Amino acid sequence: MYLCNVEKAVKTVDIRSLSLAQLKDALVEMGEQGFRAKQIYEWLWQKSCTDFDEMSNLSKSLRETLKANFTINAVKVKQSQISSDKTIKSTFSLYDNNVIEGVLIPADDRMTACVSSQVGCSLTCKFCATGYMDRKRNLNADEIYDQVVLIAKQAEEKYGHPLTNIVYMGMGEPLLNYSNMMKSVDRITSPDGLNMAAKRITVSTAGIAKMIKKLGDDEVRFNLALSLHAANDDKRNEIMPINEQNSLAALAEALKYFYAKTKSPITFEYIVFHNFNDELQDAKELAKFCKNVPCKVNIIEYNPIALADFVNAEADKIDQFATYLRSQGVITNVRRSRGKDIDAACGQLAIKDKDKEASEA
Ligand code: SF4
């Protein structure tokens, strides 16, 4: 029910939650011309406009009607920190005062945005700062999209380079916010949105077999990464409790299904933890697991958090680990961590209160 010229009431409808067809219907219901919906949509999505007053090709009266009936729950940059390696971590505030984080990672050949998909996370990976926060809520598709737009703006303004890649590796488990994640990808890839190629996007999951199959059924064109970190159920259960309901066998089956449907190779992320998963036997188990599906391994450097005792394995141990994988024909990259000095690295994103409490205890 739209308010039209009715006395101003609480504006609860975020205009960006409407599809083009719904917006058109709403305009007609308000006595406006339906074709204006396309113009408004261009402002909202192509031009990332978050203020009705800036929609300059709409009449003043239509802008007033929109203001009276809708809101735009835009994400705002609350704070940004720049690392010595030029990584920028931003804290974003949401319309309901919740806070999330996103990161711009500049490199010679790419500009990558790392975005969050949830406020907090319901999974409790033991090495991850976000895992020690509660999940407060899912992000809407436009809140995910807004992070990309704001980080793209930082890339242009600070480094004079457009965004080239997007990774869903910030706070939250994207596959537990499936429909909003998918809608945000649609917006990012749509010619009516940012028009980026799907292959520039990587969605990273802790491993939810049923949802990996769903990605296959939906024949997604973006890349899928699995945070593996152990190719042994006992060890994986210990650090990633989600593995208890999604065993390695179940994940392997889901990944095979995904690959059969999409022909898209998988990326396995693996942190080599000191004295936990850094032995030859661990590398052997990983190499064996990699035989399930076309894939590559990214070995990620770990950045300790106050809440957990894990530390990164020594450099030579990581080299030996990578060398063994390569000897088994597994494509293996060793990734240096970025933004460590500002807690922007993988596993470090969290609203700091709890982390601070732990370090002060
Ligand atoms: S690693 Fe990902 S899935 Fe696991 S707790 Fe952290 S944010 Fe959640």
Side-chain angles (χ1 to χ4, degrees):
M1 173 78 181
Y2 299 95
L3 304 171
C4 293
N5 295 320
V6 180
E7 189 184 350
K8 260 195 177 177
V10 184
K11 292 177 287 180
T12 51
V13 180
D14 182 346
I15 194 167
R16 298 189 304 175
S17 67
L18 303 183
S19 67
L20 183 58
Q22 287 169 324
L23 180 56
K24 197 171 165 190
D25 289 348
L27 289 175
V28 171
E29 199 182 317
M30 292 186 292
E32 299 287 344
Q33 292 159 308
F35 75 89
R36 296 280 179 203
K38 182 102 174 56
Q39 287 175 310
I40 297 167
Y41 233 58
E42 278 172 13
W43 280 109
L44 293 173
W45 298 112
Q46 264 175 314
K47 298 174 190 160
S48 306
C49 178
T50 55
D51 184 346
F52 291 116
D53 283 328
E54 287 174 9
M55 299 181 179
S56 54
N57 61 351
L58 305 183
S59 68
K60 185 152 186 353
S61 78
L62 176 53
R63 279 183 269 148
E64 291 304 320
T65 304
L66 293 175
K67 276 198 271 181
N69 286 281
F70 299 108
T71 184
I72 301 175
N73 289 329
V75 171
K76 296 190 175 71
V77 178
K78 191 174 179 203
Q79 196 193 0
S80 287
Q81 287 172 275
I82 304 185
S83 157
S84 53
D85 66 14
K86 295 190 173 168
T87 297
I88 302 178
K89 179 175 82 167
S90 298
T91 306
F92 298 115
S93 57
L94 310 179
Y95 73 94
D96 57 1
N97 295 324
N98 273 310
V99 173
I100 52 167
E101 291 180 335
V103 185
L104 170 65
I105 308 155
D108 291 342
D109 58 340
R110 58 178 66 189
M111 279 276 162
T112 304
C114 173
V115 296
S116 295
S117 56
Q118 297 178 309
V119 183
C121 188
S122 58
L123 306 189
T124 51
C125 305
K126 299 288 182 259
F127 51 84
C128 169
T130 315
Y132 290 87
M133 299 171 65
D134 295 331
R135 187 200 75 97
K136 290 193 181 154
R137 69 169 174 87
N138 286 337
L139 295 184
N140 301 323
D142 46 87
E143 291 172 324
I144 300 173
Y145 180 83
D146 277 357
Q147 294 173 69
V148 175
V149 169
L150 291 168
I151 294 173
K153 212 169 148 203
Q154 291 173 335
E156 293 279 5
E157 285 175 4
K158 298 274 183 198
Y159 304 120
H161 204 290
L163 209 58
T164 58
N165 295 74
I166 299 165
V167 294
Y168 286 61
M169 291 185 192
M171 299 165 75
E173 165 54 58
L175 299 193
L176 291 180
N177 186 13
Y178 192 89
S179 66
N180 286 315
M181 177 276 291
M182 291 291 276
K183 271 193 236 162
S184 68
V185 169
D186 275 354
R187 281 272 146 251
I188 293 164
T189 54
S190 164
D192 296 331
L194 297 182
N195 204 14
M196 284 184 78
K199 279 288 158 205
R200 298 276 177 181
I201 300 173
T202 299
V203 171
S204 175
T205 178
I208 297 158
K210 193 171 90 180
M211 303 314 287
I212 291 172
K213 284 188 173 176
K214 181 152 174 51
L215 288 173
D217 286 334
D218 289 338
E219 297 182 10
V220 298
R221 289 175 300 119
F222 52 75
N223 304 302
L224 178 65
L226 173 67
S227 295
L228 193 60
H229 308 312
N232 165 311
D233 276 319
D234 288 338
K235 286 194 180 183
R236 200 162 189 271
N237 287 346
E238 204 179 312
I239 56 171
M240 301 181 76
I242 187 68
N243 195 69
E244 287 163 19
Q245 300 88 42
N246 295 267
S247 66
L248 289 164
L251 290 175
E253 193 213 330
L255 292 170
K256 283 181 198 166
Y257 185 87
F258 174 86
Y259 182 77
K261 293 277 190 175
T262 63
K263 296 287 173 280
S264 179
I266 315 295
T267 300
F268 293 128
E269 291 152 9
Y270 194 99
I271 299 170
V272 188
F273 293 112
H274 173 66
N275 267 350
F276 179 73
N277 60 357
D278 56 353
E279 295 297 331
L280 179 61
Q281 178 60 22
D282 300 293
K284 282 184 177 171
E285 287 168 350
L286 177 55
K288 192 171 167 215
F289 190 75
C290 287
K291 297 219 172 358
N292 280 304
V293 66
C295 65
K296 66 174 180 188
V297 171
N298 281 348
I299 293 179
I300 304 169
E301 189 182 347
Y302 182 63
N303 303 286
I305 57 170
L307 287 152
D309 290 333
F310 295 99
V311 291
N312 211 38
E314 296 88 354
D316 59 343
K317 203 111 190 205
I318 295 174
D319 283 346
Q320 285 165 18
F321 200 97
T323 302
Y324 176 80
L325 291 177
R326 290 182 189 124
S327 77
Q328 298 303 301
V330 179
I331 300 166
T332 306
N333 304 304
V334 180
R335 297 258 186 248
R336 197 169 53 86
S337 192
R338 302 292 305 271
K340 282 195 275 193
D341 51 335
I342 55 168
D343 289 342
C346 271
Q348 288 188 305
L349 296 188
I351 306 313
K352 293 295 282 179
D353 299 357
K354 280 195 179 178
D355 210 12
K356 220 189 290 166
E357 279 165 23
S359 54
E360 284 166 359

